[in-house]
Amino acid sequence: MLGACAIAGTSAQNTSKLTATKANEYGLIYTLPLTSFRVTLAAEKTVKKPGEFCQYAKKYLNAEPILAPSTSWSLIDAVIEQKAYPDESERYLVTLKNGNGAFVTVSNENFPIALNDEKYQWSMPEIDLPEAEPAEPTILELPVARQAVTPEMIQSKSSAKRAELAAAKIYELRNMRSEIISGQAEAMPSDGAAMQLALDQITAQEDALTAMFLGTVQTSVEVRTYSVAIPEDGAPERSVLARLSVLHGLVSADDLSGAPIYVTVSPQTRGKLPVNEKGEVKTFPKGGVAYRIPGTGSVSVSYDGETMASGTYGIAQYGVVFGLDPGLFTSRKSPSYLHFNPLTGAVRELGTIGE
């Protein structure tokens, strides 16, 4: 069954070097990985509030205002990351005797990284993840909103009169801006910096007064990350990853107050054991260095009929395990090296040291 749950971020991966020596009876132990995924979702919250003078917006500004408060959510991004976890059923002891200190480097989860190549470094592909963004104060929540209000507006008890005074102030500010830019103001700023400061203050006050007519729009971004496991039977499966609620944003998959966000995992190819010249499946070498021949699968995230993210990946669960002759890595004259893919256990490169 494909599972999904919220998870936290992981720390950077460390590596360790394990050397085949007499002390450990020339045995090196590592664990092949299984594939999993993380999906990071970003939902944007939009809060709209009408201004104090919304009913006068058409009359004085010839503009359509926000007439009623509202809150809405939209899914704006989804990012898929491939991860791995130990396959406890595929834990191997490899004996590399007769070599000159054959060794393997492993991850902090004991996944094999390289054999006989300490310089090889494997790192996760760089992925840009969405970031949470808190709601910024609206213009009407800033000090400039109080600065824009005239004494006459404060003293008036009539909303219609206050709207008329606010509109007059808007047009006065626009005229002031025009005079400063054209150099016709009675008291021109002393230099360019002072002019910019004056223009910024005029713009801020105009924006505040305009918001009293048109209303405000405030946005924020919520980000959550979920883990996705490959179905045990390897069959295609679509599951509800999370839901998007009109009132609460991202909620759990079983919260029916929200619309479903689906994740789909589908196999595309299956790993196959190698065959000899006669087409017969090869036998696992005695004491072989185990590796995975993975299959491939697609992972996609969809919401409201739209695909938000998708990709094709090597997947360990769709593959098979085979082995390389350990003698390749213990030769005194020309020992081999091996690079693994720690996400699937696959062979990335096999070569001879010194070539």
Side-chain angles (χ1 to χ4, degrees):
M1 179 179 180
L2 183 150
C5 60
I7 59 175
T10 57
S11 60
Q13 190 177 50
N14 299 316
T15 60
S16 302
K17 178 182 177 181
L18 307 178
T19 303
T21 65
K22 186 176 181 180
N24 57 23
E25 298 182 348
Y26 304 99
L28 303 177
I29 298 174
Y30 61 81
T31 305
L32 292 178
L34 288 172
T35 304
S36 64
F37 293 91
R38 295 201 313 181
V39 174
T40 299
L41 302 177
E44 184 177 68
K45 180 182 181 181
T46 302
V47 178
K48 296 182 179 181
K49 295 180 180 179
E52 178 185 356
F53 309 131
C54 61
Q55 65 268 43
Y56 305 104
K58 189 67 176 177
K59 176 180 179 181
Y60 289 117
L61 302 184
N62 193 30
E64 297 296 333
I66 297 170
L67 296 176
S70 67
T71 299
S72 62
W73 288 85
S74 60
L75 189 65
I76 60 172
D77 200 5
V79 177
I80 301 170
E81 295 177 273
Q82 187 176 10
K83 297 293 181 179
Y85 63 97
D87 183 353
E88 298 301 339
S89 66
E90 299 292 347
R91 186 175 173 86
Y92 288 90
L93 170 62
V94 179
T95 301
L96 298 174
K97 199 172 182 180
N98 302 325
N100 292 320
F103 64 90
V104 62
T105 54
V106 297
S107 71
N108 56 346
E109 293 180 297
N110 202 40
F111 302 149
I113 303 293
L115 207 160
N116 286 349
D117 188 354
E118 193 172 4
K119 295 182 179 180
Y120 175 67
Q121 297 292 327
W122 188 91
S123 59
M124 289 290 294
E126 291 292 331
I127 296 178
D128 292 328
L129 295 175
E131 296 183 358
E133 298 177 11
E136 297 288 341
T138 68
I139 189 71
L140 294 181
E141 296 171 332
L142 298 177
V144 69
R146 294 190 295 272
Q147 298 168 7
V149 176
T150 65
E152 292 81 4
M153 290 173 63
I154 296 174
Q155 295 168 4
S156 176
K157 297 182 180 180
S158 167
S159 61
K161 182 61 176 178
R162 290 198 301 274
E164 180 182 351
L165 292 170
K169 181 68 173 179
I170 289 174
Y171 289 110
E172 178 186 337
L173 290 168
R174 292 177 179 176
N175 186 56
M176 289 172 58
R177 180 193 296 108
S178 178
E179 290 180 347
I180 291 175
I181 292 174
S182 63
Q184 298 177 357
E186 292 183 5
M188 285 293 295
S190 58
D191 55 28
M195 175 183 289
Q196 188 60 55
L197 179 61
L199 291 174
D200 290 344
Q201 291 175 340
I202 290 171
T203 298
Q205 290 192 28
E206 181 186 347
D207 290 344
L209 291 167
T210 301
M212 294 178 187
F213 287 91
L214 302 185
T216 60
V217 178
Q218 189 179 48
T219 62
S220 59
V221 176
E222 175 185 13
V223 173
R224 292 191 185 181
T225 300
Y226 303 83
S227 66
V228 178
I230 306 299
E232 293 182 4
D233 60 2
E237 182 168 327
R238 185 177 81 158
S239 178
V240 177
L241 180 69
R243 292 178 182 269
L244 188 65
S245 166
V246 174
L247 297 177
H248 306 295
L250 292 169
V251 296
S252 63
D254 57 3
D255 187 338
L256 299 183
S257 68
I261 301 168
Y262 293 106
V263 59
T264 303
V265 180
S266 298
Q268 293 187 336
T269 64
R270 303 280 183 173
K272 296 180 179 180
L273 292 171
V275 296
N276 58 24
E277 297 81 358
K278 298 180 180 180
E280 300 169 337
V281 174
K282 290 184 177 180
T283 303
F284 192 101
K286 183 179 180 180
V289 176
Y291 67 96
R292 184 98 59 177
I293 303 172
T296 60
S298 64
V299 181
S300 64
V301 179
S302 60
Y303 172 70
D304 195 24
E306 178 183 355
T307 299
M308 302 295 298
S310 64
T312 300
Y313 307 86
I315 296 181
Q317 286 89 326
Y318 299 158
V320 293
V321 174
F322 197 63
L324 295 169
D325 184 349
L328 291 171
F329 309 97
T330 58
S331 169
R332 293 186 179 276
K333 292 184 178 180
S334 56
S336 296
Y337 68 87
L338 177 64
H339 297 167
F340 291 88
N341 181 338
L343 290 175
T344 62
V347 171
R348 299 195 71 193
E349 184 177 335
L350 173 64
T352 302
I353 297 174
E355 286 187 352

